[in-house]
Every structure is written in structure tokens, then in C-alpha cells.
Amino acid sequence: MAYQQKLFVSAEPASSGSMSATALSGGGFSDGNECGVKGFHHFALPTDASSPPSPDTPQVGPQLALGAYGYQQMSDSPGHFTIQLLFAPRGKQSLVLSRTLGTDGVAVEIEGPHGLVGGAHGLPVTWNHPTTANRDNAMRIDAVGGGSAEVSLPVQALCPGYQGASVMKGLLAPIDSRNTITGQPAYTLTVSVSDPGIGELRRTVRSAVSGDLLSASNLVPLDKPITRP
């Protein structure tokens, strides 16, 4: 789970996003045509993808979790969200992913009480570990060390009327006076990828989960008290 957020922002205008799907300057396409839709995901995710994770359920096969994420806006450029993706094979077998994380890239959705707040698909990814691909242009992720990558969501991918700083605040879980998380964030952040390497490892380890999709969200398990550092 991600509890290390960065927020560098001052007053800003509302998002310049569109109510239609548009190409983004850094790569990928916005989901503007889905603004306000509840439960929208670019990839057909299972229903439990929008449920808080169980902290005690043993998991076999490839895993994806969100690391640090935050929003940044410099005075001379539009703002953007940066999201760290953490991959793990959860076993002795390696997880081998394409450098681009499948042919469709990364999909990101932010949903609030009134539906989709912003999102995009086909987003490019920057790898932190491993840093280089093998001869097949694939990234090999071992059990020791895992894998780490980053994806950027520009503010133009937000629906009209939303501000990056306000959305970022909504992505944080509420806390009490002792800094203990007391509920779920107002906005749900979901990141998903579809890569053949995910399905291949699942078949190899005989995982109960099938298919090439892997997703993670900012929802937190509340079975036990969680204190944000």
C-alpha cells in the first residue's frame, strides 16, 4: 500500500481536460468520454478489484501494488500525477513482462462518489528496476528485489471542473489525531495492466486466478489499525 505521497502545488485553475477521449502529449489517451460513469475501467477488471484488499489472504502468482504516488505542478508546466508500480512474482519463478507492459500500456482511473473523475489508457511506463530489457525486450522480475516502474497521469486527463491538488487530497485516506487511518479515500485510484507474462506465470504456478490482467488500487485493508508514517 502507498502512504508516501508528495504534494507540490499552489493555487491552480480547474482541469483543462475534455469530455471526449483525447490524445495526451506524453503518450496515451484520456478517458474523457467516460467522465461521470461509475465503475468504468479500460480493462475488464474483476468485481473485487474495487474492494479493499484482505491483509491475511495468502496470494500466489504475480502481484501489483501501488508504491508512492502524488501530484506535482511547477509554475511553468501543467501538473501531473506520478504513480509508482511495484511488481512481485510471489514465488520462486520469475515474472517476465514486456517493457511497455503489454500492447495497451498502463490504464489509470480515478473515481469519486459521482463517477469517473479522470483517467487514461495506453500510458507509457518508466522502469526503475530492472532498468534494462533482455534480448526479447522483456523485463525479468525476480523474487528478490521485485520490480519497480513509474507512470505519469497528466492533469489534462482529469474531467472538466476538477483540480489536481483537490483530487490528490481525495486520494488520501482519512486519519484521526493519532495518525491512524479511519476509512477509505474519497477517490479511488486504480492502475491496471494486461501483459501475456502475467497469465504465463499464473499458469506455471497454478494460480487460482487466470488471465493476463493485473491491477492495484489505493484502497486500504481496515481489518487492523493502520498508522500512516
Side-chain angles (χ1 to χ4, degrees):
M1 283 302 163
Y3 302 122
Q4 301 177 20
Q5 286 79 26
K6 300 177 182 179
L7 183 60
F8 306 98
V9 67
S10 56
E12 60 172 340
S15 164
S16 58
S18 170
M19 290 289 289
S20 60
T22 58
L24 301 172
S25 58
F29 299 87
S30 75
D31 295 323
N33 56 317
E34 304 291 345
C35 284
V37 175
K38 293 186 177 182
F40 168 78
H41 295 291
H42 175 71
F43 295 115
L45 300 182
T47 55
D48 61 358
S50 298
S51 301
S54 173
D56 299 319
T57 302
Q59 298 174 325
V60 178
Q63 303 295 319
L64 170 63
L66 302 187
Y69 54 90
Y71 174 75
Q72 181 176 11
Q73 181 191 18
M74 307 302 289
S75 59
D76 58 347
S77 63
H80 65 275
F81 297 86
T82 300
I83 308 163
Q84 184 184 29
L85 312 180
L86 304 176
F87 294 93
R90 283 294 178 99
K92 296 181 180 180
Q93 299 287 339
S94 297
L95 173 62
V96 181
L97 302 173
S98 60
R99 185 181 57 81
T100 57
L101 291 176
T103 57
D104 292 332
V106 180
V108 176
E109 294 96 24
I110 301 175
E111 182 172 340
H114 303 293
L116 190 72
V117 169
H121 59 275
L123 295 170
V125 63
T126 300
W127 286 91
N128 298 320
H129 179 77
T131 56
T132 57
N134 61 21
R135 294 181 180 179
D136 296 325
N137 203 30
M139 314 300 286
R140 185 183 184 90
I141 299 171
D142 298 318
V144 179
S148 174
E150 285 187 357
V151 63
S152 179
L153 180 73
V155 71
Q156 288 82 2
L158 293 181
C159 295
Y162 288 95
Q163 296 180 337
S166 298
V167 171
M168 182 62 218
K169 291 178 181 178
L171 293 175
L172 302 178
I175 58 175
D176 61 18
S177 59
R178 293 176 295 181
N179 219 31
T180 299
I181 293 176
T182 58
Q184 297 294 347
Y187 292 158
T188 301
L189 169 66
T190 304
V191 180
S192 52
V193 300
S194 179
D195 190 288
I198 296 168
E200 182 176 347
L201 180 57
R202 283 172 170 163
R203 290 188 293 271
T204 300
V205 299
R206 298 182 179 180
S207 171
V209 181
S210 61
D212 297 340
L213 286 174
L214 201 56
S215 67
S217 77
N218 65 330
L219 297 178
V220 297
L222 296 178
D223 294 354
K224 300 177 181 179
I226 299 176
T227 301
R228 185 188 299 165

